[in-house]
Amino acid sequence: MHLVQRVAAVVLTLGLSAGLAGCGGFHLKGTNPTAAPLAYQRLNLALPKNTDELEKQLSVYLAASGVQLSNANDAYTLRVLDYTPRRQLLNGKLTEVLLRLTVTFQIEDHQGNPITAPRTLTAARSYQYDLATVNTENQEETYLDRIVIDDIAQQIARQISANRLPKVTPQSTSN
């Protein structure tokens, strides 16, 4: 009998929830959490050489958050100031490879003046392998490099869409 009561409670809860959502009387109100702030609706990307994969991923994630990529004169610029990939080997019984990517970026106005303070983001992944066995180290490393770049692109897009970038203060521009 106890099982029947539980099943009935679950069915009743699901039925009421579906009724509330389906009748149109219950909707969450508010702004779209993934919409970019109005100031950054149009962005131009300025990245260093050999960062094609980051540019591709940034384009995808920024477009998904409502940012229009534009080369127009009045568009803001997302400038990557530093792009530093690192590969560190830790040898022991197993060899561990640590892949780390550090990216520093800021948003500038159409005249090249910084709007936001530089922000540094880091992503890292690691893997292990045994030198005595046949391994696919290069394939795994290539895959994890793409994962690290994707992680950085997502972090940048989230911070832009959430407007979490600190603005440049007058003191920091006079230096």
Side-chain angles (χ1 to χ4, degrees):
M1 187 70 171
H2 186 62
L3 180 63
V4 173
Q5 290 174 339
R6 280 189 176 178
V7 170
V10 168
V11 169
L12 181 63
T13 303
L14 290 174
L16 289 173
S17 299
L20 279 173
C23 73
F26 178 76
H27 294 287
L28 293 175
K29 302 285 183 188
T31 60
N32 182 358
T34 61
L38 201 51
Y40 308 131
Q41 285 290 325
R42 292 177 15 162
L43 279 177
N44 179 24
L45 298 179
L47 284 80
K49 293 179 184 177
N50 302 323
T51 58
D52 296 337
E53 184 69 24
L54 178 61
E55 185 172 1
K56 184 176 89 173
Q57 294 303 101
L58 270 173
S59 298
V60 169
Y61 291 120
L62 288 172
S65 66
V67 173
Q68 177 188 6
L69 296 178
S70 171
N71 289 330
N73 290 339
D74 61 342
Y76 289 93
T77 300
L78 170 63
R79 183 169 310 280
V80 173
L81 304 169
D82 182 48
Y83 182 91
T84 308
R86 289 203 174 102
R87 181 180 189 269
Q88 184 177 11
L89 283 174
L90 306 170
N91 291 322
K93 189 170 187 175
L94 292 176
T95 299
E96 183 173 1
V97 179
L98 176 63
L99 303 172
R100 177 170 293 165
L101 177 61
T102 304
V103 174
T104 302
F105 70 98
Q106 69 185 19
I107 295 180
E108 301 172 351
D109 65 12
H110 60 278
Q111 296 171 339
N113 300 318
I115 300 294
T116 64
R119 174 65 63 101
T120 301
L121 302 173
T122 301
R125 296 289 188 276
S126 66
Y127 65 96
Q128 294 179 343
Y129 65 94
D130 186 352
L131 287 173
T133 64
V134 176
N135 64 66
T136 57
E137 175 194 0
N138 291 338
Q139 292 173 348
E140 189 166 5
E141 186 167 327
T142 301
Y143 171 74
L144 290 176
D145 276 336
R146 287 194 311 259
I147 296 296
V148 168
I149 290 169
D150 186 73
D151 187 23
I152 289 288
Q154 286 184 46
Q155 288 183 53
I156 291 172
R158 276 194 307 266
Q159 290 192 12
I160 289 173
S161 67
N163 200 15
R164 295 184 56 202
L165 300 172
K167 303 284 187 218
V168 172
T169 60
Q171 293 174 329
S172 63
T173 58
S174 63
N175 291 339

